[in-house]
């Protein structure tokens, strides 16, 4: 039996932690993927700040599923040593938050000749893995992202196989694959399935690359979730709405997916749209429970 836990990037609700907590509670969600609080990126938190935020989350009954770090989102030609030091700090922050996962990327390519940078990408990731050995409770998640080395499933697989460590898994992002013109399911999913440990819940259209709620784009979110049920997936589904510019709220409200409160700010409204769209697939269509 599958065991789904819903979490999400609550900074898309707004920068204020109290507001993030409020909207998570309103959506029945008890986990958070920490990326930003009070306008500050998680990689910039001092350890004292992290401890303070952790206490506030604990008091609210919110657990941290992952650290949504920006590590690996620099050019492959940028200096690496300062970035490696920042990564080591993120690991310390993750430990404070008692986070099981840290999201990491595989560097923006300087030009279209991606193959010539492969060895450097692998070298940098080997350095990440060496640093992570001192944090055995933390698993690194490589997220597929536009314009990085691992923007298509074949290169994600190259990285995962080259590192070949149980401390590195994949965060599977259907919308990002759609925006790269990749066939998400079953092609990309099947290729990466042995490594997938975390799912980002957002969808997108091939035609204009616009992000949509789950099930409203071309990312085959229902098929992916059904496959996860079949595979007895135990893990997180992380809401990453990216919907503040989404133009389909009216139709979603007619579909019963959105909230119809015009006084709710865009961030809270978008997060709730994303949450309800996921639950519509997971609960109403696939008859699954979540926590």
């Amino acid at each position: 039996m599958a065991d789904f836990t819903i979490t999400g990037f609550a900074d898309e609700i707004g920068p204020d932690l109290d507001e993030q907590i409020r909207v998570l509670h309103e959506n029945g969600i008890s986990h958070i993927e920490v990326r930003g609080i009070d306008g500050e990126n998680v990689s910039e938190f001092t350890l004292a700040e992290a401890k303070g935020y952790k206490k506030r989350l604990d008091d609210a009954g919110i657990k941290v599923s992952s650290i949504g770090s920006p590590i690996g989102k620099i050019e492959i030609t940028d200096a690496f040593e300062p970035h490696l030091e920042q990564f080591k700090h993120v690991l310390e922050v993750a430990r404070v938050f008692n986070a099981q996962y840290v999201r990491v990327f595989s560097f923006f390519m300087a030009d279209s000749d991606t193959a010539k940078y492969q060895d450097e990408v692998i070298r940098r990731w080997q350095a990440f893995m060496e640093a992570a050995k001192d944090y055995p409770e933390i698993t690194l998640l490589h997220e597929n992202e536009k314009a990085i080395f691992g923007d298509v499933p074949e290169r994600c697989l190259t990285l995962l196989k080259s590192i070949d460590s149980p401390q590195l898994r994949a965060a599977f992002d259907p919308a990002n694959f759609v925006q790269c013109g990749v066939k998400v399911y079953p092609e990309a999913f099947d290729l990466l399935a042995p490594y997938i440990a975390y799912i980002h819940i957002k969808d997108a259209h091939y035609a204009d690359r616009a992000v949509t709620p789950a099930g409203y784009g071309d990312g085959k979110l229902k098929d992916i979730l059904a496959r996860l049920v079949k595979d007895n997936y135990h893990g997180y589904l992380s809401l990453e709405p990216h919907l503040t510019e989404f133009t389909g709220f009216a139709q979603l409200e007619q579909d019963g997916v959105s909230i119809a409160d015009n006084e709710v700010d865009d961030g809270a409204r978008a997060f709730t749209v994303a949450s309800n769209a996921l639950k519509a697939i997971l609960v109403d269509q696939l008859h699954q429970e979540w926590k």
Side-chain angles (χ1 to χ4, degrees):
M1 179 179 292
D3 185 6
F4 295 106
T5 301
I6 297 179
T7 183
F9 290 86
D11 59 341
E12 296 201 16
I13 296 165
D16 180 70
L17 183 58
D18 289 336
E19 183 187 16
Q20 294 180 22
I21 290 169
R22 175 183 62 80
V23 176
L24 288 171
H25 283 165
E26 289 174 357
N27 283 277
I29 296 171
S30 60
H31 290 75
I32 185 173
E33 182 157 355
V34 178
R35 181 174 56 192
I37 296 174
D38 293 339
E40 186 177 33
N41 185 271
V42 66
S43 65
E44 300 169 345
F45 293 174
T46 66
L47 297 185
E49 286 174 328
K51 290 174 183 176
Y53 294 141
K54 174 65 162 56
K55 184 180 186 306
R56 289 167 65 185
L57 290 169
D58 286 345
D59 291 345
I62 303 291
K63 296 180 180 179
V64 174
S65 61
S66 179
I67 299 300
S69 91
I71 298 300
K73 266 197 167 183
I74 61 170
E75 294 280 345
I76 190 64
T77 53
D78 288 344
F80 180 59
E81 288 306 316
H83 201 60
L84 180 59
E85 291 306 307
Q86 185 183 34
F87 172 68
K88 293 175 181 177
H89 175 69
V90 167
L91 290 172
E92 283 292 309
V93 169
R95 178 167 279 175
V96 169
F97 279 111
N98 196 29
Q100 181 180 356
Y101 296 108
V102 171
R103 184 269 304 270
V104 186
F105 299 92
S106 53
F107 304 98
F108 291 117
M109 298 292 94
D111 55 59
S112 61
D113 188 5
T114 304
K116 72 182 180 183
Y117 298 112
Q118 178 174 314
D119 289 347
E120 178 62 11
V121 169
I122 301 302
R123 183 190 74 80
R124 292 181 175 202
W125 265 89
Q126 287 170 338
F128 287 156
M129 300 310 300
E130 184 64 29
K133 285 181 180 179
D134 292 333
Y135 303 82
E137 75 277 17
I138 295 172
T139 297
L140 304 186
L141 296 171
H142 174 265
E143 179 183 345
N144 56 286
E145 171 66 286
K146 301 177 293 296
I148 65 171
F149 177 80
D151 59 356
V152 295
E154 293 79 9
R155 287 197 290 268
C156 291
L157 186 62
T158 293
L159 173 61
L160 292 160
K161 282 188 169 182
S162 296
I163 297 300
D164 190 25
S165 168
Q167 206 175 358
L168 172 61
R169 299 288 93 177
F172 191 87
D173 191 309
N176 287 352
F177 275 140
V178 168
Q179 292 175 330
C180 292
V182 168
K183 292 182 179 180
V184 179
Y185 187 88
E187 290 83 350
F189 189 94
D190 283 350
L191 194 66
L192 298 175
Y195 299 94
I196 295 171
Y198 203 92
I199 307 291
H200 282 171
I201 301 296
K202 68 177 190 283
D203 209 341
H205 290 301
Y206 284 119
D208 59 6
R209 306 299 195 252
V211 174
T212 76
Y216 287 80
D218 298 317
K220 296 192 174 181
L221 268 294
K222 181 180 177 181
D223 291 341
I224 291 169
L225 291 168
R227 171 67 175 275
L228 293 172
V229 172
K230 181 180 178 181
D231 291 349
N232 295 318
Y233 175 81
H234 285 58
Y236 293 104
L237 306 175
S238 186
L239 298 165
E240 189 180 12
H242 284 5
L243 295 178
T244 53
E245 301 301 321
F246 182 63
T247 58
F249 282 123
Q251 181 61 47
L252 288 174
E253 287 169 353
Q254 291 175 15
D255 293 345
V257 172
S258 182
I259 50 177
D261 182 351
N262 292 328
E263 294 183 359
V264 175
D265 64 90
D266 286 344
R269 189 181 186 197
F271 192 89
T272 300
V273 166
S275 174
N276 289 346
L278 169 59
K279 294 168 191 173
I281 299 174
L282 200 62
V283 178
D284 300 341
Q285 299 178 37
L286 299 178
H287 311 293
Q288 296 297 303
E289 297 180 354
W290 61 275
K291 59 187 181 184

